[in-house]
Amino acid sequence: MKFYSTNDQNHLVSLKEAVIKGLAPDQGLYMPENIPRLPGSFFENISQLSFREIGYEVTRALFAEDLPEQQIKELVDHTLEFDAPLVQVEDHVYTLELFHGPTLAFKDFGARFCSKLMSLLLGKQQVKVLVATSGDTGSAVANGFYGVEGVEVVILYPSGKVSELQEKQFTTLGGNVAALEVEGCFDDCQKMVKQAFLDPELNQQMILTSANSINIARWIPQSFYYFYAYSRLQKKREKVAFAVPSGNFGNLAAGILAERMGLPIDKFIAATNVNKVVPDYLAGGAFEAKPSIQTISNSMDVGNPSNFYRLLALFGGDESGLKAKVKGFFYSDEQTRSAMKAVKATSGYTLDPHGAVAYLGLTDFMAQHPDAYEGVFLETAHPGKFQAVVEETLGTKISLPDRLAAFLKGKKKVDQLPNDYGAFKKYLLT
Ligand SMILES: *Cc1c(COP(=O)(O)O)cnc(C)c1O
């Protein structure tokens, strides 16, 4: 399979190049040259298949020319080491819990797939992954890449500007994950990383990569759990809708990839907080990036969603096709909190603020189409990750899951780094 840039259909690269580069040189996003349709027999038997078996099938359809069967198995087994259970919340309303991985958020799927794929594609070559983080990216990448052979991770983060729990999630691992505490802000960290990628001397001596969120290897595995959720749904109604709490729109675009591969999803709900660039577009406006606004569902505070062009590409640039398949909904923090309270009161289920936005989008959509849909909304993070907001909203204590609490007991291992590119370069060279 070759991959093209969303900015230039004729710029084709190999899987290896797409994964190591991350972003195309023209700043476009990589996309598979063609989207294979899975055979009818796969969908007939899907309820009998395990999560991993579904993952093999999807990966094989895309990468069979690039990876031997044994490596496809290794890759998927490493990615799907935890489940994504479908839990009924109300009649015809289900949540897909994507928070059972090491950092309790759905980004674990992409980080694990990406790290393993890099290691398989590079063979004996070593690669250094450089990440600047203000919190969450660092923990997902660190945990996804932890212990993966041939890959070294270097995380730069601003001293004193990351929450204790987040810091512990990427500074206590050790092994192939190094953390650099920078005397500076997040932008300083990012500047040093960007400078390293452009440094000819460094690039001659080592393979550097970013593993950033738009990497095709972080994007593709997010399609697995749409197939899986569909396979476990007891369909009592004819049509299925999926609601996705969205920020950069990678997750939603992965759902549409699944649909394009043949999964019969009738509608997608693009649910956002007040950062509503995409809902505005879907309602007939132009696509217009805006400065981001801070909300309680802060992983979705994105004013310029980078996967928008992937959404369009999945419809061959046909905007009416995209608008027919995806419906936009957006909500204020107040509405989000009300939904968290109402769901807790009626069904006992604890939503995190991101899942609550998706729940709202799904139930509002279903109310517009009575009796037509089975609905699934994605729970992208464990409520314990947003403990303060959840406790304040619900007025009850919630406990941190063991996996998260364990990080707090870990010992922080970091190197201090002045805000100076020369020092960073020296660190990388030694
Ligand atoms: C990253 C993230 C999102 C947004 O996902 P996109 O793929 O960027 O749209 C939603 N919820 C949580 C908890 C996240 O961490």
Side-chain angles (χ1 to χ4, degrees), residues 105-107 136 222 244-252 299-300 302 307 352 354-355 380-381 385-386:
F106 81 97
K107 291 188 178 72
D136 257 0
Q222 295 174 5
V244 188
S246 296
N248 259 324
F249 283 80
N251 203 359
L252 180 80
S299 299
M300 311 197 297
V302 179
N307 283 289
D352 98 290
H354 304 79
T380 45
K385 285 199 91 167
F386 302 91

Side-chain angles (χ1 to χ4, degrees), residues 113-425:
F113 189 88
C114 184
S115 60
K116 192 70 186 177
L117 183 55
M118 277 184 182
S119 139
L120 291 169
L121 291 171
L122 286 162
K124 292 203 165 21
Q125 290 172 290
Q126 296 275 320
V127 62
K128 273 195 171 73
V129 181
L130 306 184
V131 192
T133 186
S134 52
D136 257 0
T137 322
S139 56
V141 171
N143 285 274
F145 283 67
Y146 179 60
V148 175
E149 226 171 288
V151 188
E152 230 179 278
V153 182
V154 180
I155 296 175
L156 284 75
Y157 72 102
S159 180
K161 297 199 177 65
V162 171
S163 81
E164 190 197 353
L165 180 61
Q166 283 178 331
E167 186 180 21
K168 290 263 169 150
Q169 283 183 285
F170 58 79
T171 58
T172 58
L173 293 166
N176 63 331
V177 177
L180 297 177
E181 185 171 7
V182 177
E183 288 161 33
C185 62
F186 169 68
D187 288 339
D188 299 325
C189 298
Q190 190 145 37
K191 230 167 100 187
M192 284 199 273
V193 166
K194 281 192 174 159
Q195 201 170 341
F197 286 129
L198 297 172
D199 189 320
E201 196 189 337
L202 280 182
N203 284 279
Q204 230 166 39
Q205 304 221 13
M206 56 189 77
I207 305 172
L208 295 175
T209 182
S210 69
N212 63 18
S213 68
I214 50 82
N215 196 303
I216 193 109
R218 287 185 57 183
W219 179 58
I220 285 174
Q222 295 174 5
S223 63
F224 298 165
Y225 44 71
Y226 289 87
F227 290 98
Y228 183 53
Y230 180 88
S231 77
R232 297 311 190 255
L233 202 55
Q234 295 292 326
K235 255 179 77 185
K236 297 180 207 82
R237 288 171 171 171
E238 201 187 330
K239 294 189 279 192
V240 177
F242 272 74
V244 188
S246 296
N248 259 324
F249 283 80
N251 203 359
L252 180 80
I256 294 171
L257 172 64
E259 192 268 341
R260 301 276 99 173
M261 291 178 82
L263 187 67
I265 298 178
D266 186 75
K267 286 284 184 290
F268 287 92
I269 314 305
T272 71
N273 55 35
V274 291
N275 293 283
K276 58 185 178 64
V277 169
V278 172
D280 283 351
Y281 163 82
L282 292 169
F287 177 73
E288 216 178 305
K290 302 245 167 74
S292 66
I293 302 163
Q294 203 179 345
T295 73
I296 58 168
S297 47
N298 56 24
S299 299
M300 311 197 297
D301 295 350
V302 179
N304 188 9
S306 44
N307 283 289
F308 177 72
Y309 294 96
R310 249 182 199 144
L311 290 180
L312 269 183
L314 285 162
F315 290 91
D318 169 22
E319 297 191 59
S320 58
L322 170 60
K323 288 174 185 177
K325 184 58 82 178
V326 185
K327 300 297 165 193
F329 290 81
F330 64 92
Y331 299 95
S332 67
D333 282 353
E334 203 184 322
Q335 291 172 303
T336 306
R337 286 185 197 270
S338 301
M340 290 163 70
K341 279 189 255 191
V343 169
K344 185 73 183 177
T346 54
S347 68
Y349 193 82
T350 307
L351 295 168
D352 98 290
H354 304 79
V357 167
Y359 168 86
L360 280 166
L362 180 66
T363 48
D364 282 348
F365 171 78
M366 286 172 72
Q368 293 170 359
H369 305 272
D371 306 326
Y373 286 89
E374 294 293 334
V376 178
F377 68 95
L378 274 48
E379 250 300 0
T380 45
H382 190 283
K385 285 199 91 167
F386 302 91
Q387 198 177 18
V389 173
V390 175
E391 288 186 347
E392 180 196 304
T393 303
L394 301 181
T396 51
K397 286 269 168 225
I398 55 166
S399 52
L400 280 181
D402 297 344
R403 307 198 277 314
L404 207 53
F407 278 112
L408 285 169
K409 296 198 193 94
K411 192 164 159 37
K412 174 173 150 180
K413 288 169 266 192
V414 296
D415 285 309
Q416 316 289 329
L417 191 74
N419 181 13
D420 169 34
Y421 178 69
F424 180 45
K425 182 167 173 175

